[in-house]
Amino acid sequence: MDKFVITGGNRLEGEIHTSGSKNSSLPALAAALLTDEPVTLTRVPKVRDIRTMERLLVDIGSELEVTGERVTVHTPVVVSPEAPYELVKTMRASSLVLGPLVARCGRARVSLPGGCGIGARPINLHLMALENLGAKINQEHGYIEAVAPDGLTGAEIHFDRITVTGTEDVLMAATLARGETVLNNAAREPEVTDLAAMLTRMGAKIEGAGTSTIRVQGVKKLHGIPEDDPHEIIPDRIEAGTFLIAAAITGGDVRVTGLNPEHVSALTDKMKQAGVTVDQPDATTLHVRGNGHLHAVDMTTEEYPGFATDLQAQYMALMTQADGIALIVETIFENRFMHAQELLRMGANIRLEGRQAIVAGRSRLQGAGVIASDLRASASLVLAALVAKGETVIDRVYHIDRGYEKIEMKLSHVGAKIQRVE
Ligand code: EPU
């Protein structure tokens, strides 16, 4: 198992480029199942979750051509409309194939995800919505089977709580349903808007993506997206946000390029309040300069456009280096403070009370042996290690490889002392 060995203390300087979004690419790859024509995407990041989704598509019957960041998916026939436990247990987002498969072939069988490091993560809202569209749902031997032999029919759907992949799953299904579907209390995340843009290019009729009410007029057939004019995936706002924090925590001077500043504004607002200088030299670049003096700023995670739960762990690392007390409240997942225990081992002063973390700074962090417990927790440990005195060894970095493309190379390039060892 790979580890990262990081020696803290270097100020980051230079330029880091943002990769395409993992959480946009996953539904985009699943959406390619909605048509028997080839669909080409670009700016697909080379991360482990994408490889898992590609393996799933091949099992289902897709032919895949991957050249760098460009992926063409062609599924002339669905051979097996199924997502097996072995894949779903390593990546919950595998349930994104449920909507497209039931819409295209009237049947899908997907393993139930089960528990996860950051919370329960059920898919009951995906199932409720598909039932509203006319699918019959059965659970057997840990699998969910959705059947709609005569196709799906549009309906009015209300999500009791906002779900990102739930909105995406049902949006994909609704594109091929008969008549109109209205999704109320839909997720407004940029990844949902990106998926809607891609589906529209395939011939879907969608209005309101990016707002909490999405209307879909079902069509009979969707078509492909040509190789010479592919759909470009949006920048990864969580990766970009992690780099912005890396610059700030080391008191560095870094330009993060190829991002969408609007997608990270909840984070950059907090960073500015904390005393970091953030400028926007052009439409896709943010320039961060830290002066080594940070003040504590409270933060509560929320659905987009609020502060992303996927940046909470990284923000906690930043707050260990701020003067004062920061209250961090996690409202999206019930168990997303695993990184706090590891940060404590590095010398942070954090008290957990249910969904709240009280971070008192500034702490003099020290290198230690720590364990990455999930993707974003691992990123938080990398950030803490960049400012810790001495050497930090992070075990189980396969978690970070799920969602960050070559993070050690990108960080080394701006001056971090980080090495991958086997
Ligand atoms: N929920 C339900 N029932 C459902 C679905 C969700 O109760 O049927 C609850 C969840 O338990 C959670 C809340 O609703 O408490 C929000 O979950 P959501 O469904 O929005 O999360 P997700 O779609 O499974 C995506 C991202 C996550 C990100 C969350 C929240 C992808 C592939 N994953 O997950 O990303 O944290 O939205 O923004 O898009 C990550 O990249 O590290 C990651 C975990």
Side-chain angles (χ1 to χ4, degrees), residues 312-320 328 337 339-340 343 350 357 359:
Q312 177 259 106
Q314 300 88 318
Y315 187 78
M316 191 183 289
L318 183 68
M319 285 300 105
T320 67
I328 297 180
F337 283 143
H339 44 283
L343 292 173
I350 302 169
V359 186

Side-chain angles (χ1 to χ4, degrees), residues 405-414 418:
E405 185 172 62
K406 300 187 189 135
I407 188 168
E408 72 275 28
M409 281 152 116
K410 289 193 181 189
L411 288 174
S412 305
H413 183 71
V414 289
I418 172 169

Side-chain angles (χ1 to χ4, degrees), residues 7-50:
T7 308
N10 284 11
R11 188 171 170 261
L12 302 191
E13 274 180 2
E15 202 170 286
I16 313 188
H17 192 66
T18 312
S19 295
S21 160
K22 163 184 86 83
N23 287 349
S24 225
S25 301
L26 290 169
L29 288 165
L33 290 171
L34 287 161
T35 173
D36 57 6
E37 295 179 17
V39 172
T40 304
L41 306 170
T42 53
R43 212 174 173 185
V44 179
K46 294 208 146 319
V47 297
R48 206 158 57 96
D49 274 7
I50 297 300

Side-chain angles (χ1 to χ4, degrees), residues 157-163 167 183-187 211-214:
I157 288 160
H158 182 87
F159 289 106
D160 284 345
R161 68 176 290 178
I162 297 174
T163 159
T167 301
L183 305 182
N184 294 306
N185 202 25
T211 75
S212 45
T213 306
I214 306 180

Side-chain angles (χ1 to χ4, degrees), residues 163-346:
T163 159
V164 179
T165 50
T167 301
E168 292 163 350
D169 216 356
V170 180
L171 175 62
M172 291 186 275
T175 58
L176 291 179
R178 274 183 300 273
E180 185 182 65
T181 299
V182 183
L183 305 182
N184 294 306
N185 202 25
R188 292 180 286 163
E189 266 65 6
E191 294 75 19
V192 173
T193 313
D194 193 27
L195 174 65
M198 172 190 171
L199 292 167
T200 303
R201 283 209 52 197
M202 294 168 72
K205 302 223 173 319
I206 301 168
E207 271 173 31
T211 75
S212 45
T213 306
I214 306 180
R215 288 177 185 276
V216 186
Q217 305 294 336
V219 295
K220 283 218 162 67
K221 209 173 153 37
L222 292 178
H223 52 78
I225 301 182
E227 222 175 326
D228 57 0
D229 187 17
H231 173 73
E232 183 176 324
I233 297 291
I234 58 169
D236 196 308
R237 62 193 168 102
I238 307 302
E239 188 207 25
T242 303
F243 295 146
L244 296 172
I245 296 176
I249 201 170
T250 63
D253 184 337
V254 175
R255 286 163 175 267
V256 182
T257 59
L259 53 66
N260 183 330
E262 200 186 315
H263 292 173
V264 288
S265 63
L267 169 66
T268 48
D269 285 352
K270 293 284 173 195
M271 286 171 56
K272 287 176 190 165
Q273 285 174 43
V276 180
T277 307
V278 184
D279 295 317
Q280 189 186 326
D282 62 55
T284 59
T285 304
L286 286 175
H287 183 187
V288 178
R289 277 165 295 163
N291 58 13
H293 298 290
L294 292 164
H295 340 285
V297 178
D298 295 346
M299 183 278 281
T300 299
T301 62
E302 281 167 15
E303 292 89 359
Y304 191 82
F307 195 105
T309 172
D310 288 347
L311 284 169
Q312 177 259 106
Q314 300 88 318
Y315 187 78
M316 191 183 289
L318 183 68
M319 285 300 105
T320 67
Q321 298 309 295
D323 288 321
I325 292 180
L327 177 67
I328 297 180
V329 184
E330 172 58 57
T331 68
I332 308 293
F333 292 110
E334 66 267 31
N335 186 27
R336 208 172 198 185
F337 283 143
M338 305 278 272
H339 44 283
Q341 304 302 337
E342 302 301 297
L343 292 173
L344 280 170
R345 301 194 57 248
M346 296 175 73

